[in-house]
Amino acid sequence: FCPFLAAEARAAEVAVMPVQGVNLSEGDCEAFGVLFANAFARDARVAVASPLETKALRGEGKTPTAIAVHLGAARYVELNALRLGQRVNIGGAVHAQDGAMLFRADTSAASLDAMDFAISTLAHALASRQPIPRGPSMDGYPASQESAYEVPVVPEAPPDPAVSRGAYGAKAGVAMPMSSGKTFSPGV
């Protein structure tokens, strides 16, 4: 059973499709996809199939839904990027395996040099399914093109007094020393 269990354990939960870019080089799009996949895997704590893995399947003419089914992923992410002058807008949508859109977010960066922050922000928003809050970015541009609404702050839950915080009480153990040519009495 080991080969079957290992294959199941390695299946990705989320497949990231190759970035669809406008006015960007193929290398930039691949870099954005890999950065996003790594950030999404870190924030969501799930196994992610990189765009480098899904690119070959996409090249065969398969749809994102068929790719997700082929990889055994329960969800997939489609990303798009648009460069206008120096500014780069990037957006993404999380889809269920059947193609239903679960969440969408987009953000922008003032230049290609600031894309790592924008990609990390987008990955966190899609992983947690929370909108990207509006606010200043690195160059004074708004960090998001979302509508102007605040993200509610969830208060931290008070500690439960019924939960044990230590391992108090009696403990028991058994010691059975063994050695060749010697005899010992077991101790409890």
Side-chain angles (χ1 to χ4, degrees):
F1 293 114
C2 290
F4 300 113
L5 295 175
E8 186 65 27
R10 293 188 61 213
E13 284 188 46
V14 178
V16 178
M17 299 299 137
V19 177
Q20 301 298 316
V22 176
N23 291 335
L24 290 163
S25 70
E26 186 176 337
D28 287 339
C29 291
E30 286 180 0
F32 295 164
V34 171
L35 286 172
F36 177 85
N38 292 339
F40 191 90
R42 180 191 66 234
D43 288 344
R45 295 186 179 105
V46 296
V48 174
S50 164
L52 299 176
E53 297 173 50
T54 60
K55 183 178 181 180
L57 297 171
R58 188 73 180 202
E60 294 174 2
K62 290 187 177 183
T63 64
T65 304
I67 294 171
V69 169
H70 177 77
L71 295 175
R75 296 172 287 163
Y76 65 91
V77 178
E78 287 188 303
L79 298 170
N80 56 52
L82 169 69
R83 182 176 180 184
L84 296 170
Q86 291 297 315
R87 189 163 188 77
V88 181
N89 296 329
I90 186 164
V94 178
H95 297 269
Q97 191 179 40
D98 63 357
M101 185 185 299
L102 302 174
F103 189 77
R104 177 167 178 66
D106 61 350
T107 188
S108 60
S111 67
L112 287 174
D113 295 333
M115 279 304 292
D116 57 344
F117 178 74
I119 290 170
S120 179
T121 303
L122 179 64
H124 180 72
L126 293 178
S128 61
R129 294 188 191 175
Q130 293 183 350
I132 299 172
R134 289 186 68 129
S137 70
M138 294 166 57
D139 291 339
Y141 292 102
S144 172
Q145 302 300 324
E146 297 285 330
S147 60
Y149 57 86
E150 294 293 319
V151 176
V153 177
V154 179
E156 192 172 316
D160 187 4
V163 174
S164 174
R165 292 194 177 38
Y168 306 112
K171 310 290 184 286
V174 176
M176 297 286 286
M178 300 180 83
S179 178
S180 63
K182 303 229 181 215
T183 59
F184 297 97
S185 297
V188 176

